[in-house]
Amino acid sequence: MAGGVWGRAREAPVGALTLTALTEGIRARQGQPQGPPSTGPQPRSWELKPEAEPQTQALTAPSEAEPGRGATVPEAGSEPCSPNSALEPAPEGPHQVPQNSWEEAVLADLALYTAACLEEAGFAGTQATALTLSSALEARGERLEDQVHALVRGLLAQVPSLAEGRPRRAALRVLSALALEHARDVVYFTVADPTGLPVGPHPAAQFETGAAAELWHSLSRNQRVNGQVLVQLLWALKGALGPEPQALAATRALGEMLAVSGCVGATKGFYPHLLLALVTQLHKLACSPRSPDMPKIWVLSHRGPPHSHASCAVEALKALLTGDGGRMVVTCMEQAGGWRRLVGAHTHLEGVLLLASAMVAHADHHLRGLFADLLPRLRSADDLQRLTAMAFFTGLLQSRPTARLLREEVILERLLTWQGDPEPTVRWLGLLGLGHLALNRRKVRHVSTLLPALLGALGEGDSRLVGAALGALRRLLLRPRAPVRLLSVELGPRLPPLLDDTRDSIRASAVGLLGSLVRRGRGGLRLGLRGPLRKLVLQSLVPLLLRLHDPSRDAAESSEWTLARCDQAFCWGLLEEMVTVAHYDSPEALSHLCRRLVQRYPGHVPNFLSQTQGYLRSPQDPLRRAAAVLIGFLVHHASPGYVNQDLLSSLFQDLGQLQSDPEPAVAAAAHVSAQQVAMLARARGRPRGPRLLRLASRPARPPPVFADSPFQRPSLAGRWGCSGPGRV
């Protein structure tokens, strides 16, 4: 018959009957059973008249509908094959076409023409056509390498317009059949096809309509395909150096697939690689310049599909963790604000550390694989990838079984090497790693190597480094046989300046380190030993008392905790007074405390006064008032013989200047304390005589009376039903 099937197709409708007949011919050649026979007379497709359905005359061959398509449909009159040859045995002869070549040609033409038909709105036989093509592709999908591009483009363009239900599922089944043998091509042409597209939106834009999301859901449910597709999406994500929409499409596709129950199981073998790729992608997104229309902050409570690239990556990461039984990891990250930190340029590494800590606690079955994948990344030339790997490596050192995968010397050498890096962030991560390493009881013999690096970091200008070093030293004290005496000696000149650091977090950490040191050395302190530690505590006593009034709640609470440890170790019996001063700013309690300290350490009274004098110039009003009040009580209880005249003159001068302070409460406290200094100076100036006569003639100095402090912080004691002094 002249023209053949594909030639007549341009003049007559090509419906389900034509495609079914061709497919049955293919199956007959393959020895497969054909479909059930028709119950009534059916016209042959090549005998249909053009007048039957005139609306299909607009259909054109793929080469005419979309210029640039890789393969073309034969023109009318070319007679590549005829329906009779599809259903009858081929004649024998020297020019016989091989059976496999004939089937391949028919299948390729069938697939291309069907894809072109699916692109045309109003196609009558959509459902049967898609089902037929799906069956044909499943039979010969491996023979369509050259036509995959055209098929994917055509199907993606038509899927959104198909009715939901069987027609759309049939079209998606076609793509699943293609992905079984051509996963790389399907993924590439779906999310990253920068060439060969007509002017218009990229197929990845269909994610906004939900059609492509349905495609990924369909692929994720196919156990024969989902693993291959996930691998290809992973490589697409790692190699997404092109336009932003392509990387966004790959990230969102991963999120859509991983959200389907059971799909995460297909990541076995490359789960750590995929997790690290998503976390590294978040670091790159956080550090990349944002476009003017891109949201700067991702709102966690948003509804509907995520819009920004970072939110898509976070959702994919959540789906990956949740699908593998790591729901507690997701919950811990949400409670600690870890997701928000991950998407921030300056907080990303903190988010990585939180994620590693959560996985150590709740998903330790992947730690070995993660640790192994991290090692080569630690020397990556990509700074963002290297820093992310360093943060993960540091966090995983909290897991002792994971840390044992490498020799102790290798880990320690790597962390100490980071201390010589010019980048402060690298040194910070190294200090955090040393802190985690200090908790490992097997690393006892390396304390002498750890200490110099930790003590040297206390002089750094970056608060992250100082805080990490303080935390590591505190963890070191938690170990059995901690080097208390060595730390007391080394911290003697280093710790007191940090108690008055301008950074709230550093002050609180330094005070807490002192408390931990006293707690570990309390046994020796009770026996009169620990000379360096005793000296350090007495040197820090005034800052601790004044920091009870610190505007920073963390520093104030840390000071209260440390003073309680000192009271227990030195057996002062002043715990009640300290708590009362901390919570109620009671002058009576402070007077009793100062009297006990003056009686117990009379030789240290000048040092106490000199230290307190320095706080009179503090820029913080509560500290200036607290210093003036403390001087008043110390001077009131001090014996004239222990305080020299020069110190009294200096105190009187500074308190006099403070009486003109703009804060009335500070000026009033300075006036009262100046009177106490003057009375002590007059007591020193009396002529010396027999001791008994001096005691008889010494007039009693009236105690100082201070007004209530306007800086009193609301006490937390009332929450437990406690009442302050004088309260009912």
Side-chain angles (χ1 to χ4, degrees), residues 116-135:
C117 291
L118 286 174
E119 293 182 17
E120 296 291 339
F123 178 61
T126 297
Q127 177 176 339
T129 302
L131 287 171
T132 304
L133 179 58
S134 174
S135 301

Side-chain angles (χ1 to χ4, degrees), residues 22 43 75 180 192 220 347 429 431 434 465 475 482 527 558 616:
L22 288 175
E75 298 289 343
L180 185 60
S220 63
T347 59
L429 292 174
L431 288 170
L434 291 175
L465 275 68
R475 291 188 185 96
L527 297 175
S558 185
L616 296 177

Side-chain angles (χ1 to χ4, degrees), residues 200-388:
H202 190 274
Q206 300 299 338
F207 275 112
E208 300 298 326
T209 67
E214 192 172 351
L215 163 64
W216 299 119
H217 291 168
S218 175
L219 291 172
S220 63
R221 294 187 183 97
N222 190 333
Q223 300 298 324
R224 301 170 60 193
V225 174
N226 54 11
Q228 302 177 46
V229 174
L230 286 172
V231 169
Q232 296 303 325
L233 285 174
L234 170 60
W235 288 113
L237 178 65
K238 294 188 64 175
L241 302 177
E244 176 77 8
Q246 298 174 13
L248 173 60
T251 305
R252 189 170 292 177
L254 280 169
E256 297 288 353
M257 291 193 67
L258 295 173
V260 175
S261 178
C263 185
V264 176
T267 63
K268 184 178 181 180
F270 60 94
Y271 182 100
H273 205 75
L274 179 56
L275 187 143
L276 292 175
L278 288 171
V279 176
T280 304
Q281 182 74 5
L282 281 171
H283 198 179
K284 293 180 180 179
L285 292 173
C287 296
S288 63
R290 293 183 174 89
S291 59
D293 57 342
M294 185 180 297
K296 294 183 179 180
I297 299 178
W298 174 52
V299 182
L300 290 171
S301 60
H302 70 81
R303 298 185 179 274
H307 298 288
S308 71
H309 196 160
S311 61
C312 291
V314 168
E315 291 302 320
L317 194 54
K318 286 183 177 181
L320 180 64
L321 293 167
T322 304
D324 192 55
R327 180 60 197 172
M328 280 302 300
V329 177
V330 177
T331 302
C332 290
M333 288 288 288
E334 290 174 351
Q335 293 176 348
W339 301 120
R340 193 175 299 278
R341 284 185 169 92
L342 275 176
V343 300
H346 302 291
T347 59
H348 172 79
L349 296 180
E350 297 175 9
V352 174
L353 292 169
L354 288 174
L355 178 60
S357 299
M359 294 190 69
V360 167
H362 304 290
D364 57 351
H365 54 291
H366 283 302
L367 299 187
R368 290 176 176 266
L370 278 171
F371 201 76
D373 273 6
L374 285 172
L375 295 180
R377 295 168 180 253
L378 296 177
R379 293 184 173 87
S380 173
D382 185 345
D383 290 342
L384 299 182
Q385 185 183 57
R386 180 169 54 89
L387 288 175
T388 300

Side-chain angles (χ1 to χ4, degrees), residues 431 434-435 438 450-456 458 466-479 482-483 487 490-491 494-495 498 513 516-517:
L431 288 170
L434 291 175
L450 286 171
L451 274 181
L454 298 178
L455 294 172
L458 296 179
V466 180
L470 290 170
L473 289 171
R474 195 169 183 179
R475 291 188 185 96
L476 193 62
L477 290 170
L478 298 177
R479 295 186 343 170
L487 279 176
E490 295 293 342
L491 291 175
R494 294 180 173 91
L495 193 59
L498 296 177
L513 175 60
S516 299
L517 189 61

Side-chain angles (χ1 to χ4, degrees), residues 32 41 78 104 106 119 142 258 357 387 393 403 424 500 525 579 582 604 617 728:
Q32 299 179 7
S78 59
E104 180 180 354
V106 171
E119 293 182 17
E142 71 279 9
L258 295 173
S357 299
L387 288 175
F393 180 86
D500 296 322
L525 290 171
V579 174
H604 288 79
R617 303 179 183 86
V728 181

Side-chain angles (χ1 to χ4, degrees), residues 125-206:
T126 297
Q127 177 176 339
T129 302
L131 287 171
T132 304
L133 179 58
S134 174
S135 301
L137 290 175
E138 287 181 352
R140 286 291 184 177
E142 71 279 9
R143 299 296 184 91
L144 296 175
E145 290 87 350
D146 297 334
Q147 290 81 20
V148 170
H149 182 189
L151 284 173
V152 173
R153 292 177 60 213
L155 289 171
L156 281 180
Q158 184 62 20
V159 165
S161 63
L162 295 178
E164 294 186 2
R166 291 188 63 189
R168 182 174 291 189
R169 288 197 301 270
L172 294 175
R173 187 178 168 212
V174 172
L175 288 169
S176 296
L178 281 173
L180 185 60
E181 298 293 339
H182 307 282
R184 179 180 179 277
D185 296 328
V186 169
V187 170
Y188 175 76
F189 293 134
T190 305
V191 302
D193 183 9
T195 61
L197 285 175
V199 178
H202 190 274
Q206 300 299 338

